[in-house]
Amino acid sequence: MEILAFGVQADEKPLIERAFGDQEEVRCLDVFLNEDTAPIAAGHEIVSTSVNADLGAAVLEVLAAGGTRMVAQRSTGFNNVDLDTAERLGMTVARVSYYSPYSVAEFAWALAMAVNRRIVRASIRTRDFDFRLDGLMGRDLHGRTAGVLGTGKIGEAFARIAHGFGMRLLGWDVAENPACAELGMRYVPKDELLARSDLITLHVPLMAETRHLIDAAALKAMRDDAILINSSRGGLIDTAALVGELRAGRFAGVGLDVYEAEAGLFFLDKSLEAVEDDTLARLVTFPNVLVTSHQAYYTEDAVGQIVDATVRNVLDYREGRRSENVLVPRS
């Protein structure tokens, strides 16, 4: 029976087709799952979705009515899934609970270095044969303080790199990571971390408790010359409040691989359209801001692990097995 995979990127398609091989027949679509595209899944017992799929109640109802019984999400995050509705409809929902933390941590560092050393602006200048250094001065990160909000696997990987740079480490999380403590990380309240850190990076999941973790008050608590990096979930930052602080001339740099209203924008070509999101349009105009389109996870290693885990999830469903990746049913 054919599996329908939504939101498949061109680089991802051969990995998915090769991973499923002779075990399952899979059809890859580049369109994302939402209310408009959900009817395409009619007759498919299993669908696979990407991180920006809409798996709210309305979409799940359409999928269930069309015969879908299993959703295999190709991501760790699942804030886009209405789990209560899925359970009520008797659907199985699985995610990928683990993939290379280095992919995201290394990209977060790429953003940090790019905004600190003005790499994008320098590259644009040299393409125009403008070799001036005016406005390109950065700072040594050695000896400065990195604040890591969320010290799980990705936060730990980021902290190890920061330690290699010779930075002091501050951490905030619901539970301390002994590996981070061994690096010299000191766990402090969030407000203290924000006030004392030169570089702040977010590595926490998006849930009701963490939505707008970085709100207007948190932004004001940060140093005027701080660097803020978010490669986790866009909803962790109140973007409108961030724009307000940027307009006031604050922050040495901001690197965002995620955006709270990215669904319907990221992973798509909007270059020939007028972008109606005024907040995003304003955000990308600031010279100290770098926005990328949710690509931190996008390495051969991480995507390969995501695809392999998705295949295992499908096979587990077929054979009635249960793993830590299953979100629904809950018991």
Side-chain angles (χ1 to χ4, degrees), residues 64-273:
T68 298
R69 295 293 173 263
M70 195 261 187
V71 175
Q73 173 127 311
R74 303 187 308 278
S75 73
T76 299
F78 53 92
N79 54 285
N80 60 321
V81 187
D82 187 331
L83 298 179
D84 292 333
T85 297
E87 189 159 44
R88 174 175 59 79
L89 294 170
M91 301 176 76
T92 295
V93 179
R95 60 156 178 166
V96 177
S97 59
Y98 174 86
Y99 61 85
S100 168
Y102 309 107
S103 61
V104 179
E106 290 171 5
F107 193 84
W109 265 104
L111 288 175
M113 295 304 296
V115 296
N116 179 41
R117 301 306 299 269
R118 316 291 193 258
I119 300 296
V120 175
R121 186 187 301 180
S123 176
I124 293 171
R125 280 189 185 179
T126 55
R127 283 176 179 269
D128 293 331
F129 299 100
D130 179 353
F131 300 106
R132 293 172 301 157
L133 298 182
D134 298 348
L136 301 183
M137 184 176 288
R139 294 178 295 175
D140 288 2
L141 293 178
H142 176 85
R144 287 189 159 84
T145 300
V148 184
L149 292 161
T151 58
K153 292 182 176 66
I154 297 173
E156 177 189 333
F158 187 96
R160 289 188 182 281
I161 299 171
H163 183 261
F165 270 80
M167 300 188 75
R168 295 184 293 270
L169 297 171
L170 297 179
W172 176 86
D173 208 327
V174 293
E176 296 187 9
N177 183 338
C180 290
E182 288 180 6
L183 296 173
M185 176 178 285
R186 196 162 61 83
Y187 282 83
V188 297
K190 185 183 74 170
D191 288 347
E192 182 179 347
L193 182 149
L194 296 175
R196 298 186 56 191
S197 297
D198 300 287
L199 168 61
I200 296 164
T201 183
L202 308 180
H203 300 293
V204 300
L206 178 60
M207 54 188 68
E209 297 81 5
T210 60
R211 181 166 183 78
H212 286 181
L213 180 71
I214 303 300
D215 57 11
L219 291 164
K220 290 187 182 301
M222 293 167 55
R223 296 181 175 183
D224 288 345
D225 61 352
I227 293 171
L228 174 63
I229 304 297
N230 186 11
S231 58
S232 184
R233 288 292 183 269
L236 297 175
I237 295 179
D238 182 340
T239 315
L242 175 61
V243 168
E245 296 301 311
L246 288 165
R247 290 182 64 184
R250 301 190 64 221
F251 307 133
V254 174
L256 305 175
D257 184 52
V258 288
Y259 173 60
E260 59 181 324
E262 68 183 55
L265 289 173
F266 282 17
F267 306 140
L268 300 173
D269 182 1
K270 297 289 185 178
S271 60
L272 299 180
E273 302 177 27

Side-chain angles (χ1 to χ4, degrees), residues 15-97:
L15 296 176
I16 291 177
E17 293 175 339
R18 184 166 60 248
F20 276 100
D22 298 330
Q23 301 178 77
E24 300 280 350
E25 184 180 355
V26 61
R27 180 158 66 103
C28 296
L29 303 178
D30 60 1
V31 298
F32 293 93
L33 179 61
N34 53 40
E35 288 192 55
D36 295 328
T37 60
I40 301 173
H44 292 84
E45 182 182 352
I46 300 173
V47 300
S48 179
T49 57
S50 61
V51 65
N52 274 344
D54 177 358
L55 287 162
V59 172
L60 290 172
E61 293 277 4
V62 173
L63 292 179
T68 298
R69 295 293 173 263
M70 195 261 187
V71 175
Q73 173 127 311
R74 303 187 308 278
S75 73
T76 299
F78 53 92
N79 54 285
N80 60 321
V81 187
D82 187 331
L83 298 179
D84 292 333
T85 297
E87 189 159 44
R88 174 175 59 79
L89 294 170
M91 301 176 76
T92 295
V93 179
R95 60 156 178 166
V96 177
S97 59

